[in-house]
């Protein structure tokens, strides 16, 4: 996984556009439209980076940043704002932001800044996910269970990776569609059930159905 990013902006269309672009680049993305929700999500999700609008309807982005830093939450923050005066940028950086992007902006520039900030702030990690006796090696692009290689299609691999990243968390079919299939996928959520069944034939006992909600990866009870 490239990382989990929280996008905070009360302009829903803009937040969705930024989230879509980040997902297309391989990030897991959550959104929030208020400062209060941003604070709650930042604590709950522990994102690798926050893209934060300053002009929010309740608490300003500057105050959100200050409160996060006062709680010793050091998640990197990129401010996204229409305020482009030098003093505004200085204020934002002094509050603890790692970068400052002004509106209007290009998605290419924002994506580049996200990558730069993550490279600078995120420690190098081994590209390996594990759950129970299951190991997914992103560098080797292979999955093993108890040491035995499991042959997966690209879509099965991507689905399994998303389930492992969120092990223990119940995921809806729509969440899985949004993160595993292309953002412009036009099919129904029945494809999720189909691929879950494919994975279960190869990885028995770890993927569970939560009726009327979705699926979760957990140990057998």
């Amino acid at each position: 996984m490239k990382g989990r990013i929280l996008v905070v902006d009360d302009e829903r269309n803009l937040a969705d556009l930024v989230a879509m672009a980040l997902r297309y680049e391989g990030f897991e993305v959550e959104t929030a439209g208020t400062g209060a929700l941003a604070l709650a999500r930042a604590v709950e999700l522990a994102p690798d980076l926050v893209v934060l609008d300053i002009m929010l309807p309740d608490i300003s982005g500057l105050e959100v940043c200050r409160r996060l830093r006062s709680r010793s939450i050091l998640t990197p923050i990129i401010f996204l704002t229409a305020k482009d005066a030098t003093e505004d940028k200085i204020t934002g950086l002094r509050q603890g932001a790692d970068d400052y992007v002004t509106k209007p902006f290009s998605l290419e520039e924002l994506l580049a800044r996200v990558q730069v900030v993550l490279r600078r702030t995120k420690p190098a990690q081994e590209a390996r996910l594990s759950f129970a006796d299951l190991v997914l090696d992103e560098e080797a692009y292979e999955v093993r269970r108890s040491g035995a290689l499991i042959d997966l299609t690209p879509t099965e691999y991507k689905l399994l990776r998303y389930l492992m990243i969120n092990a223990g968390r119940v995921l809806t079919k729509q969440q899985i569609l949004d993160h595993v299939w292309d953002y412009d996928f036009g099919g129904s959520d029945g494809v999720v059930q189909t691929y879950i069944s494919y994975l279960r034939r190869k990885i028995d006992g770890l993927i569970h159905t939560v009726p009327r909600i979705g699926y979760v990866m957990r140990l057998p009870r």
Side-chain angles (χ1 to χ4, degrees):
M1 177 179 70
K2 281 191 173 182
R4 177 181 291 135
I5 297 179
L6 175 63
V7 176
V8 184
D9 200 302
D10 62 326
E11 296 181 54
R12 182 59 183 270
N13 290 340
L14 179 58
D16 288 345
L17 180 64
V18 171
M20 180 180 69
L22 289 166
R23 288 187 185 114
Y24 191 70
E25 291 296 313
F27 293 100
E28 180 182 352
V29 186
E30 300 288 342
T31 61
T34 66
L37 186 56
L39 288 168
R41 289 272 174 88
V43 173
E44 173 191 356
L45 300 172
D48 297 290
L49 183 141
V50 179
V51 177
L52 178 61
D53 185 22
I54 288 181
M55 302 294 290
L56 295 172
D58 54 347
I59 307 170
S60 77
L62 292 171
E63 178 63 15
V64 171
C65 181
R66 187 194 68 77
R67 292 188 190 184
L68 290 176
R69 296 297 184 250
S70 70
R71 299 177 188 178
S72 298
I73 296 175
L74 302 179
T75 302
I77 294 172
I78 296 178
F79 275 132
L80 192 62
T81 179
K83 293 186 173 184
D84 59 358
T86 299
E87 56 267 28
D88 292 321
K89 296 179 182 179
I90 291 172
T91 299
L93 294 170
R94 283 179 174 170
Q95 287 283 16
D98 296 87
D99 205 347
Y100 197 107
V101 177
T102 57
K103 301 176 181 179
F105 61 93
S106 72
L107 286 173
E108 290 79 6
E109 178 189 1
L110 178 61
L111 292 172
R113 288 177 181 267
V114 166
Q115 297 282 9
V116 168
V117 170
L118 285 175
R119 281 200 301 268
R120 188 172 71 236
T121 60
K122 189 175 182 181
Q125 297 179 347
E126 186 178 13
R128 179 174 294 187
L129 299 172
S130 61
F131 181 78
D133 57 350
L134 192 65
V135 176
L136 184 150
D137 189 326
E138 296 196 84
E139 290 186 348
Y141 200 78
E142 66 180 23
V143 175
R144 293 179 180 272
R145 189 167 191 185
S146 298
L149 185 65
I150 300 174
D151 184 29
L152 298 177
T153 68
T155 300
E156 290 169 348
Y157 176 91
K158 195 173 180 182
L159 173 58
L160 177 62
R161 186 181 68 151
Y162 185 57
L163 291 169
M164 292 181 70
I165 288 169
N166 293 281
R169 177 185 176 191
V170 178
L171 302 169
T172 66
K173 289 182 180 179
Q174 190 59 52
Q175 283 178 306
I176 295 172
L177 272 179
D178 289 344
H179 289 83
V180 175
W181 276 263
D182 291 340
Y183 67 90
D184 58 352
F185 175 75
S188 71
D189 60 11
V191 71
V192 176
Q193 182 176 345
T194 299
Y195 273 87
I196 288 288
S197 69
Y198 293 162
L199 269 184
R200 280 176 168 156
R201 294 172 194 167
K202 301 178 180 182
I203 301 165
D204 182 52
L206 297 180
I207 302 172
H208 302 266
T209 299
V210 180
R212 296 183 297 279
I213 300 178
Y215 303 96
V216 60
M217 174 165 275
R218 65 178 178 224
L219 295 173
R221 292 177 176 176

